Amino acid sequence: MKNIVVLTGAGISAESGLKTFRDANGLWEGHDVMEVATPEGFDNNPALVLEFYNQRRRQLLTVKPNAAHKALVDLEAHYNVHIITQNVDDLHERAGSSNILHLHGELLKARSISSAEDIFACTQDILLGDTCKNGFQLRPHIVWFGEAVPHLEDAIAITEKADYLIIVGTSMQVYPAAGLINFVHSGTPIYFIDPKPFINESYKSNLTIITQNAVDGLPTLVASLIDK
């Protein structure tokens, strides 16, 4: 069975009604990214950062997977599918996909500020004073700007084994995730689904650009790959 690697970003979840955090002016829900998505921001105003992610978590619990998420589940019946996502939501999991690697953390988990390995399931608000068993404050299990991406080497290893690469819901302009496209072997078919792609098919050999949104373009592509 051939390997399909799917790199997903905020665009696939936006079509479930999930806000994409970053506005056109670069603000995250009205906040400067340095205030709410950096270790320094958390040190300066932990209550603000916790509430920012509490709001995101509450919204996540109100939305459902869409046709694009479900198409990737269908694909698993015919290929070894590995999803590498920049998203911190659990919509791939809820849709039923099996192999998901979260590059930037998970909103429905919390961790101790004393250890990146001390991770808990979390569906409720995290408040100042909520601590791990050792008495350290809890924080969202999110990779903030300036922090290492812990699963990047795993993502590279997965991408290197791809027989097909599908990119959907991401502009491929946020690094290091955007660099994964460079780890597929020469000649590997790459499909880029984006209604307003910033690249054209001269960017890479064997690149096919599908100028549709995720819920339209991905089910169609999946159907064609299953027919193969």
Side-chain angles (χ1 to χ4, degrees):
M1 201 178 279
K2 290 191 174 182
N3 296 316
I4 294 185
V5 176
V6 188
L7 182 62
T8 70
I12 192 171
S13 297
E15 294 179 61
S16 284
L18 202 59
K19 292 181 180 179
T20 58
F21 287 28
R22 190 178 305 201
D23 305 320
N25 59 6
L27 296 179
W28 282 33
E29 301 292 312
H31 298 284
D32 185 285
V33 66
M34 299 302 290
E35 293 179 343
V36 294
T38 63
E40 293 79 12
F42 186 70
D43 289 342
N44 290 336
N45 194 340
L48 172 68
V49 175
L50 292 176
E51 180 55 21
F52 176 83
Y53 288 98
N54 288 341
Q55 290 176 12
R56 310 284 79 72
R57 190 180 303 104
R58 289 178 214 139
Q59 191 202 9
L60 172 56
L61 295 173
T62 70
V63 302
K64 297 179 180 178
N66 59 50
H69 296 105
K70 293 172 183 175
L72 294 178
V73 180
D74 296 337
L75 196 57
E76 281 193 29
H78 305 270
Y79 293 89
N80 290 321
V81 178
H82 291 268
I83 298 170
I84 301 170
T85 187
Q86 300 172 71
N87 298 336
V88 296
D89 61 67
D90 68 334
L91 294 179
H92 285 303
E93 285 89 346
R94 276 195 260 162
S97 288
S98 302
N99 302 308
I100 306 151
L101 183 69
H102 286 270
L103 283 178
H104 296 158
E106 297 178 64
L107 193 52
L108 296 185
K109 292 183 179 178
R111 73 180 196 233
S112 170
I113 63 169
S114 71
S115 172
E117 308 302 319
D118 199 3
I119 301 166
F120 312 83
C122 178
T123 57
Q124 305 297 319
D125 287 359
I126 304 173
L127 305 175
L128 276 180
D130 290 346
T131 61
C132 69
K133 62 181 181 294
N134 295 318
F136 291 96
Q137 174 66 41
L138 297 182
R139 55 161 278 183
H141 181 48
I142 302 292
V143 179
W144 288 327
F145 290 96
E147 294 183 321
V149 178
H151 297 300
L152 185 60
E153 292 301 320
D154 295 331
I156 290 171
I158 291 168
T159 305
E160 287 175 333
K161 296 177 182 177
D163 295 302
Y164 300 91
L165 178 66
I166 300 171
I167 301 167
V168 58
T170 173
S171 66
M172 292 301 288
Q173 293 178 290
V174 177
Y175 286 84
L180 290 173
I181 194 172
N182 298 315
F183 289 94
V184 296
H185 293 296
S186 177
T188 300
I190 302 170
Y191 300 92
F192 184 48
I193 301 171
D194 193 304
K196 296 178 180 178
F198 83 100
I199 56 176
N200 57 45
E201 292 181 350
S202 65
Y203 177 73
K204 283 273 185 183
S205 63
N206 296 301
L207 172 64
T208 300
I209 295 180
I210 300 170
T211 53
Q212 293 182 296
N213 58 25
V215 295
D216 294 323
L218 190 53
T220 301
L221 173 60
V222 164
S224 70
L225 291 170
I226 289 174
D227 285 344
K228 286 186 177 183

